[in-house]
Amino acid sequence: FATGPRQDNGVFYEIRNYDIKPSRMKEFLELVSQHLHIRVAHSELVGFWTAELGAMNKVVHIWKYDNFAHRTAVRTALANDKDWQGKFLSPALACIEKQHNEVAYLVPWCQLGKPPKEGGVYEWVTFQMKPGGPALWGEAFRAAISTHLNTGYTKLIGVFHTEYGLLNTVHVVWWNENADNRASGRHKAHEDARVVAAVRESVRFLESQQNMLLVPVPCSPLK
């Protein structure tokens, strides 16, 4: 599960979390709107969101790379891109309080999905699993995700397992039409015996979890 199909494909995703100074959030988002295209010219942006619930003044963005050599080449090019350095990076750094990044792979049983339409909200759920990796908890975790998916109230976008950063971390990204649909769907799911049974099995391997409700910025590929 952890070292088979995932490692056969060099593609990975860099997940970046930025905490923005509250007084500079509007300015930062304006910089993103005006100049993110410079960055996107260097490598693929999967999605870019702001946190609505579960965190404040935070942005989350995901970048796709073919392999680590690809990322190194992109970072070198960005360091030499005068437009990126001058128009975005220099003013943006004054807006950022803290930065955090992780490298993650899609789990082998999940392909990166897309929402059925634009205009929804994304739920970002982070699970900290017990040490041992997917060989220990992978099947139980997959069953829990599958039962939620089979209820039909939500759309699975991606399941990411960390390679660099805090290990044994899994990020699950869901799409819902709106926050109220997500709330009603969750209530129904928790009354479903299949969901309850799968979750009870999975939580045996769980250390902690947290979630955020995210809203895509206008220039995000995932809207």
Side-chain angles (χ1 to χ4, degrees):
F1 188 97
T3 57
R6 188 189 69 181
Q7 295 295 338
D8 289 341
N9 186 339
V11 171
F12 68 84
Y13 299 84
E14 183 176 4
I15 300 169
R16 287 183 164 244
N17 285 265
Y18 294 173
D19 290 338
I20 309 301
K21 296 175 182 178
S23 63
R24 309 293 288 271
M25 189 64 167
K26 183 175 183 292
E27 178 184 350
F28 180 82
L29 292 178
E30 288 175 349
L31 288 168
V32 169
S33 176
Q34 294 168 6
H35 303 302
L36 192 65
H37 67 278
I38 303 172
R39 173 64 183 83
V40 172
H42 289 274
S43 65
E44 182 179 347
L45 174 65
V46 174
F48 199 117
W49 302 268
T50 61
E52 182 73 13
L53 297 171
M56 298 181 70
N57 302 299
K58 180 185 287 291
V59 298
V60 180
H61 40 124
I62 304 176
W63 299 87
K64 180 180 178 181
Y65 294 100
D66 296 334
N67 48 47
F68 288 98
H70 179 210
R71 182 184 183 276
T72 298
V74 169
R75 301 301 297 176
T76 300
L78 287 170
N80 293 307
D81 188 323
K82 293 182 179 179
D83 278 347
W84 176 248
Q85 296 291 326
K87 294 179 180 178
F88 180 84
L89 193 59
S90 292
L93 286 176
C95 303
I96 299 173
E97 193 77 59
K98 185 170 62 174
Q99 294 175 292
H100 173 73
N101 77 333
E102 295 174 318
V103 165
Y105 292 92
L106 282 171
V107 298
W109 45 268
C110 175
Q111 299 295 318
L112 190 63
K114 293 184 178 181
K117 61 181 181 179
E118 296 183 3
V121 295
Y122 292 77
E123 183 180 12
W124 184 288
V125 191
T126 299
F127 298 89
Q128 186 59 42
M129 308 302 290
K130 291 183 178 180
L136 175 67
W137 42 258
E139 289 304 316
F141 188 85
R142 179 179 182 177
I145 296 299
S146 295
T147 55
H148 279 90
L149 186 61
N150 290 339
T151 60
Y153 77 90
T154 187
K155 165 73 174 177
L156 181 63
I157 300 299
V159 181
F160 301 90
H161 177 219
T162 56
E163 180 77 5
Y164 287 98
L166 188 59
L167 297 181
N168 296 293
T169 301
V170 184
H171 301 290
V172 182
V173 185
W174 302 93
W175 178 90
N176 290 276
E177 189 168 351
N178 55 57
D180 287 317
N181 282 358
R182 181 260 177 198
S184 62
R186 290 280 292 179
H187 292 154
K188 291 177 182 177
H190 290 168
E191 295 173 354
D192 188 314
R194 296 166 298 176
V195 173
V196 172
V199 169
R200 282 178 176 169
E201 176 64 18
S202 180
V203 296
R204 297 192 299 113
F205 307 103
L206 182 66
E207 297 281 1
S208 66
Q209 69 184 91
Q210 63 184 54
N211 70 341
M212 296 183 290
L213 191 72
L214 304 178
V215 177
V217 301
C219 57
S220 174
L222 285 175
K223 290 185 173 25

